[in-house]
Amino acid sequence: LTTKQVGAVAPAVISFQTGAGPEYASAAGKMKLMLRFLDVGADYGKLVPHFVGDVQPSCGATESCAEEIPADRQVLYRDAQQDVCGKLFSEMWSDDAEGFPIPSGCFYTTKYRDEALES
Protein backbone atom coordinates (compact mmCIF):
# COMPACT_ATOMS: atom_id res chain seq x y z
CA LEU A 1 0.00 0.00 0.00
CA THR A 2 1.02 3.61 -0.29
CA THR A 3 0.52 4.75 3.32
CA LYS A 4 1.38 3.54 6.80
CA GLN A 5 -1.32 5.65 8.46
CA VAL A 6 -3.95 3.49 10.14
CA GLY A 7 -7.39 4.01 8.62
CA ALA A 8 -6.10 6.21 5.80
CA VAL A 9 -7.56 6.10 2.32
CA ALA A 10 -4.77 5.63 -0.21
CA PRO A 11 -4.24 4.06 -3.62
CA ALA A 12 -2.62 0.66 -4.00
CA VAL A 13 0.36 -0.05 -6.25
CA ILE A 14 0.27 -3.38 -8.07
CA SER A 15 3.51 -4.62 -9.58
CA PHE A 16 4.04 -7.84 -11.49
CA GLN A 17 6.41 -9.39 -13.97
CA THR A 18 5.36 -11.68 -16.79
CA GLY A 19 7.37 -14.78 -17.51
CA ALA A 20 10.10 -14.82 -20.11
CA GLY A 21 8.49 -17.72 -21.93
CA PRO A 22 7.78 -17.72 -25.64
CA GLU A 23 4.01 -17.71 -25.04
CA TYR A 24 4.17 -13.98 -24.34
CA ALA A 25 6.43 -13.09 -27.27
CA SER A 26 4.39 -15.10 -29.77
CA ALA A 27 0.92 -14.45 -28.36
CA ALA A 28 -1.69 -13.56 -30.95
CA GLY A 29 -5.05 -11.99 -30.28
CA LYS A 30 -6.34 -10.73 -26.96
CA MET A 31 -4.85 -11.52 -23.57
CA LYS A 32 -6.57 -11.00 -20.22
CA LEU A 33 -4.98 -9.73 -17.01
CA MET A 34 -7.17 -10.73 -14.07
CA LEU A 35 -6.66 -9.27 -10.61
CA ARG A 36 -8.46 -10.89 -7.68
CA PHE A 37 -8.30 -9.55 -4.15
CA LEU A 38 -9.08 -11.25 -0.85
CA ASP A 39 -10.59 -9.49 2.16
CA VAL A 40 -12.56 -6.97 0.12
CA GLY A 41 -15.26 -4.79 1.66
CA ALA A 42 -15.77 -2.06 4.22
CA ASP A 43 -17.60 -4.35 6.66
CA TYR A 44 -15.19 -7.26 6.78
CA GLY A 45 -12.21 -6.58 4.58
CA LYS A 46 -8.81 -4.98 4.41
CA LEU A 47 -9.31 -3.51 0.93
CA VAL A 48 -12.19 -1.19 0.06
CA PRO A 49 -12.17 -0.62 -3.71
CA HIS A 50 -12.91 2.87 -5.04
CA PHE A 51 -13.09 4.29 -8.51
CA VAL A 52 -10.13 6.50 -9.38
CA GLY A 53 -10.60 10.04 -8.12
CA ASP A 54 -8.73 13.19 -7.36
CA VAL A 55 -7.08 13.49 -3.96
CA GLN A 56 -8.21 16.78 -2.48
CA PRO A 57 -7.14 18.29 0.86
CA SER A 58 -10.80 18.83 1.74
CA CYS A 59 -11.35 15.06 1.80
CA GLY A 60 -9.03 14.41 4.74
CA ALA A 61 -6.70 11.47 5.30
CA THR A 62 -9.39 8.97 6.30
CA GLU A 63 -11.95 9.92 3.65
CA SER A 64 -11.97 9.50 -0.08
CA CYS A 65 -13.25 11.86 -2.74
CA ALA A 66 -13.47 8.87 -5.05
CA GLU A 67 -16.70 6.90 -5.12
CA GLU A 68 -16.58 3.48 -3.47
CA ILE A 69 -17.41 0.74 -5.96
CA PRO A 70 -20.80 -0.60 -4.85
CA ALA A 71 -20.74 -4.30 -3.93
CA ASP A 72 -23.53 -5.12 -6.38
CA ARG A 73 -22.27 -3.11 -9.38
CA GLN A 74 -20.45 -4.81 -12.24
CA VAL A 75 -19.37 -4.47 -15.85
CA LEU A 76 -19.32 -7.93 -17.39
CA TYR A 77 -16.47 -9.19 -19.59
CA ARG A 78 -18.68 -9.07 -22.67
CA ASP A 79 -19.38 -5.38 -21.92
CA ALA A 80 -15.75 -4.38 -21.22
CA GLN A 81 -14.94 -0.84 -22.36
CA GLN A 82 -11.80 1.26 -22.37
CA ASP A 83 -13.37 4.06 -20.33
CA VAL A 84 -13.88 1.57 -17.49
CA CYS A 85 -10.06 1.17 -17.37
CA GLY A 86 -9.81 4.89 -16.65
CA LYS A 87 -12.24 4.51 -13.76
CA LEU A 88 -10.23 1.64 -12.22
CA PHE A 89 -6.59 2.58 -12.88
CA SER A 90 -5.00 6.00 -12.53
CA GLU A 91 -1.92 4.89 -14.46
CA MET A 92 -0.35 1.82 -16.03
CA TRP A 93 3.24 1.65 -17.16
CA SER A 94 5.94 -0.74 -18.23
CA ASP A 95 9.68 -0.67 -18.74
CA ASP A 96 9.15 -2.38 -22.09
CA ALA A 97 10.39 -0.39 -25.09
CA GLU A 98 6.82 -0.36 -26.47
CA GLY A 99 5.29 0.63 -23.13
CA PHE A 100 2.26 -0.90 -21.45
CA PRO A 101 -0.17 -2.39 -23.97
CA ILE A 102 -3.30 -0.27 -24.44
CA PRO A 103 -6.21 -2.33 -23.12
CA SER A 104 -9.19 -2.74 -25.42
CA GLY A 105 -11.44 -2.68 -22.37
CA CYS A 106 -11.74 -3.37 -18.66
CA PHE A 107 -14.45 -4.99 -16.58
CA TYR A 108 -15.15 -5.87 -12.96
CA THR A 109 -17.61 -8.11 -11.18
CA THR A 110 -19.62 -7.90 -8.01
CA LYS A 111 -17.86 -8.59 -4.73
CA TYR A 112 -17.97 -12.20 -3.64
CA ARG A 113 -17.25 -13.68 -0.24
CA ASP A 114 -16.19 -17.24 0.47
CA GLU A 115 -18.44 -19.17 2.79
CA ALA A 116 -16.95 -20.17 6.11
CA LEU A 117 -15.91 -23.81 6.41
CA GLU A 118 -17.92 -25.86 8.86
CA SER A 119 -15.84 -27.35 11.69
Side-chain angles (χ1 to χ4, degrees), residues 33-107:
L33 169 65
M34 184 178 298
L35 305 172
R36 290 190 178 172
F37 300 99
L38 301 176
D39 294 332
V40 175
D43 296 334
Y44 53 82
K46 297 176 184 170
L47 177 74
V48 181
H50 287 76
F51 290 114
V52 171
D54 292 333
V55 177
Q56 302 171 13
S58 62
C59 294
T62 58
E63 301 173 38
S64 175
C65 293
E67 174 190 0
E68 183 176 334
I69 300 175
D72 59 348
R73 190 183 301 174
Q74 65 182 354
V75 174
L76 299 175
Y77 176 67
R78 68 174 182 260
D79 300 321
Q81 295 182 24
Q82 196 173 45
D83 69 313
V84 175
C85 302
K87 293 176 183 178
L88 299 175
F89 302 101
S90 59
E91 66 179 274
M92 301 170 110
W93 61 271
S94 168
D95 60 2
D96 187 84
E98 296 184 27
F100 197 91
I102 297 174
S104 60
C106 292
F107 69 99

